[in-house]
Amino acid sequence: MEIGHSGSLFAMMKRIERSAWFQGFIISIIVVAALTVGAKTYALPYGIEKGINYLDNFITVFFLVELSLRFIACDDKRHFFKDPWNIFDTIIVAGSLMPISETEMILVARLLRVFRVLRLVSIIPDLRFLINALLKAIPKMGYIALLMFIIFYIFAAVGSIFFHHVNEELWGDIAISMLTLFRIATFEDWTDVMYETMDVYPFSWIFYIIFIFLTAFVFLNMMVGVVLDVMTRETAEEEHENQENHHQALVTQISELQAQVAHLADKIDAQQERKD
């Protein structure tokens, strides 16, 4: 009876943990946690601040209970912490349990409370998919970033050579020139920089047009293309995995049905032999 009772309790906890209403409630609590973090940045009356502290403590306890429930409902406890998102949630919850007091760790504890908002990523599957795709795209994006750095370096050297006497604050050395080029690449008053150099070099607009074309159009689209390519492959792999799981489930059901049919056939044969 105890085994059956524990099994039914485990099944009930598993249903609760995977239910849509419970997931929605968790998202609501995370949003409330984000609002409490923002509210603490204001000068509030003592009563409201005390109420927010009580609410923050409730949120911390709820996150602990939710994580414990998820761990208990996990079919394979040994693989629970092999999931990076479970490790992330555990770190956030453990950090939230740190008492907020005037200690050296107060900044770390407050930062971890701020990062509780990121739990939305671990709760919502679509956000997890986007983050996973972005992380897998980072290696390829790194090569594009390296190529962009080379372009920045070349144009910064050229700009420092030709324009340093036009404006020392913008083109004095290669480091300042790269910062100026970053300003141009983000379109932050870049025309003011261009018109200033055009007063001395009328055809210097060619320098800016080529640089903007390479950075703002070519490399940016390459970054977007890499992310989209990874997301497309991830989507295809996920669909293939779902099809395999569905096929495996069908094979399992068919095997179970065959076993039941064979068992019924044995019973019918046994009854027939008794009659004979």
Side-chain angles (χ1 to χ4, degrees):
M1 293 294 293
E2 291 182 359
I3 296 176
H5 179 69
S6 61
S8 61
L9 181 62
F10 175 77
M12 182 185 68
M13 295 177 68
K14 195 171 182 179
R15 285 196 304 271
I16 293 174
E17 192 271 333
R18 295 183 179 179
S19 62
W21 68 266
F22 186 70
Q23 298 297 321
F25 185 68
I26 294 173
I27 293 174
S28 302
I29 293 297
I30 295 174
V31 173
V32 172
L35 295 176
T36 58
V37 171
K40 287 183 178 180
T41 61
Y42 293 92
L44 301 173
Y46 175 76
I48 296 178
E49 185 176 355
K50 189 174 182 180
I52 290 176
N53 289 332
Y54 282 126
L55 181 61
D56 184 75
N57 292 332
F58 166 77
I59 292 171
T60 301
V61 173
F62 175 80
F63 282 160
L64 178 62
V65 172
E66 183 266 333
L67 184 64
S68 302
L69 180 63
R70 201 194 316 167
F71 177 76
I72 294 172
C74 182
D75 295 325
D76 192 349
K77 305 291 190 300
R78 293 176 297 179
H79 291 81
F80 181 80
F81 290 106
K82 290 185 178 180
D83 187 349
W85 293 111
N86 291 335
I87 298 175
F88 172 78
D89 289 343
T90 303
I91 294 173
I92 296 299
V93 172
S96 300
L97 295 174
M98 296 174 59
I100 296 292
S101 59
E102 298 301 326
T103 63
E104 295 180 354
M105 298 297 292
I106 184 171
L107 292 178
V108 177
R110 286 178 176 174
L111 282 175
L112 287 173
R113 278 171 164 78
V114 172
F115 289 151
R116 289 190 303 194
V117 183
L118 290 176
R119 291 206 62 209
L120 280 173
V121 178
S122 63
I123 293 297
I124 302 176
D126 289 340
L127 290 180
R128 287 202 308 265
F129 174 77
L130 291 176
I131 296 298
N132 289 332
L134 181 61
L135 292 175
K136 291 184 178 181
I138 285 178
K140 291 184 178 179
M141 292 172 65
Y143 289 109
I144 299 175
L146 178 60
L147 185 57
M148 286 183 64
F149 175 79
I150 294 173
I151 297 299
F152 265 79
Y153 191 86
I154 293 173
F155 275 80
V158 173
S160 181
I161 292 171
F162 285 97
F163 306 142
H164 71 279
H165 63 280
V166 177
N167 190 330
E168 285 284 341
E169 293 182 359
L170 297 179
W171 306 101
D173 55 51
I174 196 166
I176 296 298
S177 297
M178 291 183 70
L179 186 59
T180 302
L181 289 174
F182 182 79
R183 169 184 170 182
I184 295 170
T186 55
F187 302 107
E188 177 62 29
D189 294 332
W190 70 277
T191 54
D192 295 340
V193 180
M194 181 181 68
Y195 292 143
E196 186 180 36
T197 58
M198 284 180 64
D199 291 337
V200 181
Y201 300 99
F203 290 100
S204 61
W205 59 269
I206 300 175
F207 172 87
Y208 298 97
I209 296 300
I210 294 175
F211 176 75
I212 290 175
F213 177 79
L214 289 175
T215 56
F217 296 104
V218 176
F219 291 116
L220 180 60
N221 288 326
M222 288 175 67
M223 288 281 191
V224 175
V226 167
V227 175
L228 290 177
D229 178 64
V230 172
M231 290 182 63
T232 302
R233 285 192 281 107
E234 286 293 309
T235 303
E237 290 178 2
E238 185 177 2
E239 291 178 353
H240 180 67
E241 184 178 354
N242 291 334
Q243 290 177 356
E244 286 186 349
N245 292 335
H246 182 66
H247 177 71
Q248 186 64 34
L250 288 176
V251 171
T252 303
Q253 291 178 359
I254 292 172
S255 299
E256 291 176 354
L257 288 174
Q258 289 177 343
Q260 292 177 2
V261 170
H263 182 66
L264 289 174
D266 291 340
K267 281 187 176 181
I268 293 173
D269 291 340
Q271 291 178 358
Q272 191 68 30
E273 289 178 358
R274 289 176 183 175
K275 288 181 181 181
D276 295 339

